[in-house]
Amino acid sequence: MKRLLKVTAMTGLLTLIKMAVGFVIVKVVAVYTGPTGMAMLGQVQSMVSSLNGLINSPAGNGIVRFTAENKEYGFDACSPWWRASVQWVLIIATIGIPVGLLLSDRIATWLFQDSKLAWVVMVTVCVLPLSAIGTLCNSVINGQQLYRRYVSLGMLSVLISSGVMLTMITLYNIQGALLAAAIQSALIGVVMLIANLRQPWLKVCYWWGDTDSQTRKVIGGYMLMAVTSALTIPVSLILVRSVLIDQVGWDATGQWQAVWKISEVYLSVITMALVPTIYHAYHR
């Protein structure tokens, strides 16, 4: 119980920082771009969440679990699972990035009713590997139960990425907001990679090499579960916004997006504070 309370307090602090930064970003977007900008930003964020969910699906819960189970036996015991994850990420990226680039005009038309914003889709799919790198690093740190490092790097990445996002919004208005939303996860990935370059587990030999088909199959099972969540929730929000845009226009949809964002942040207080420890307790 003492450990649970300690971890909950640390992750709760991280959640509070994310809440505060989220409110600031919403306020700045509303001031500089208006309700229409809020609605467009919501569409981009849902697209980013969906695509990141796809590319990160092999790098999430499965890596946390098997890192936690094998960390006592050394990094060599964790390596097969890490390699299988990287292989799945490469497969998804090899298929997903070209398809995303080819369909960028259609996706932009579906999201924004404007094919000229296809560049947002292109940028998003091109930086997906950086997002996967950040998730892999986070999962390994979480699996090793290095909660202080997990929280501190989470705070650092949030502050840096949010600072860049706010700067781009104030300088370039709606165009900056859309671009910032597209690359925010990639920025977090870059921060995580730089912060962990000297870590003993971040050696090429642990991440690149052969692994058996059974390990890939197990990681593939976790990937399928994550893909289901990645496709259902963000896509459903995109569909809801699309209906609202058709029925009541961009301004009213932007107001709905602001209310939804507030609710989303409050719900994250419960989930983010409890998931890391409960997940470890379940799989140990």
Side-chain angles (χ1 to χ4, degrees):
M1 178 60 70
K2 184 177 180 180
R3 184 181 181 84
L4 175 61
L5 292 175
K6 181 180 178 181
V7 176
T8 301
M10 289 190 296
T11 52
L13 178 61
L14 175 60
T15 304
L16 288 174
I17 293 176
K18 289 187 175 183
M19 284 178 58
V21 171
F23 283 132
V24 171
I25 290 175
V26 168
K27 179 64 175 179
V28 172
V29 171
V31 170
Y32 281 87
T33 67
T36 299
M38 284 293 301
M40 296 180 72
L41 182 64
Q43 293 290 73
V44 174
Q45 289 177 330
S46 291
M47 177 190 66
V48 170
S49 296
S50 183
L51 294 176
N52 281 340
L54 289 174
I55 197 73
N56 293 331
S57 57
N61 291 339
I63 298 302
V64 176
R65 173 190 171 180
F66 294 111
T67 300
E69 289 182 354
N70 295 284
K71 66 184 178 67
E72 296 178 356
Y73 307 105
F75 297 137
D76 288 326
C78 302
S79 179
W81 306 101
W82 297 349
R83 291 175 178 176
S85 175
V86 170
Q87 291 170 10
W88 277 116
V89 169
L90 290 175
I91 291 172
I92 295 173
T94 302
I95 298 173
I97 292 177
V99 171
L101 293 175
L102 289 173
L103 299 179
S104 58
D105 287 341
R106 295 186 180 182
I107 296 174
T109 301
W110 177 47
L111 291 175
F112 312 112
Q113 300 177 351
D114 187 358
S115 62
K116 293 180 180 179
L117 293 174
W119 62 269
V120 178
V121 181
M122 293 180 181
V123 171
T124 302
V125 297
C126 286
V127 300
L128 286 177
L130 293 175
S131 174
I133 290 173
T135 302
L136 284 169
C137 292
N138 252 331
S139 297
V140 172
I141 295 171
N142 195 1
Q144 295 180 79
Q145 301 182 23
L146 303 174
Y147 295 123
R148 288 187 179 179
R149 184 172 183 83
Y150 176 81
V151 173
S152 61
L153 288 180
M155 292 179 181
L156 179 64
S157 59
V158 166
L159 292 175
I160 292 176
S161 61
S162 300
V164 173
M165 189 172 186
L166 289 171
T167 301
M168 296 178 69
I169 293 170
T170 54
L171 291 178
Y172 304 107
N173 293 330
I174 185 61
Q175 303 292 331
L178 298 180
L179 179 58
I183 66 172
Q184 186 177 26
S185 296
L187 289 173
I188 293 174
V190 171
V191 172
M192 294 299 296
L193 178 61
I194 294 174
N196 290 291
L197 277 176
R198 295 182 179 273
Q199 294 298 304
W201 49 265
L202 197 61
K203 295 181 179 179
V204 177
C205 61
Y206 293 136
W207 296 90
W208 187 260
D210 295 331
T211 187
D212 60 275
S213 59
Q214 181 60 29
T215 302
R216 283 193 296 269
K217 183 178 179 180
V218 173
I219 294 296
Y222 280 91
M223 180 184 72
L224 291 176
M225 290 189 292
V227 165
T228 302
S229 176
L231 292 178
T232 52
I233 300 175
V235 172
S236 64
L237 288 174
I238 290 174
L239 293 174
V240 169
R241 290 192 203 93
S242 297
V243 172
L244 288 173
I245 291 168
D246 290 336
Q247 297 296 321
V248 298
W250 283 97
D251 284 353
T253 304
Q255 296 172 13
W256 177 88
Q257 173 64 24
V259 175
W260 168 262
K261 196 65 179 178
I262 294 172
S263 302
E264 187 180 44
V265 171
Y266 278 120
L267 288 174
S268 69
V269 174
I270 300 174
T271 57
M272 288 189 63
L274 295 178
V275 166
T277 299
I278 293 176
Y279 193 82
H280 284 304
Y282 179 77
H283 286 293
R284 289 191 68 183

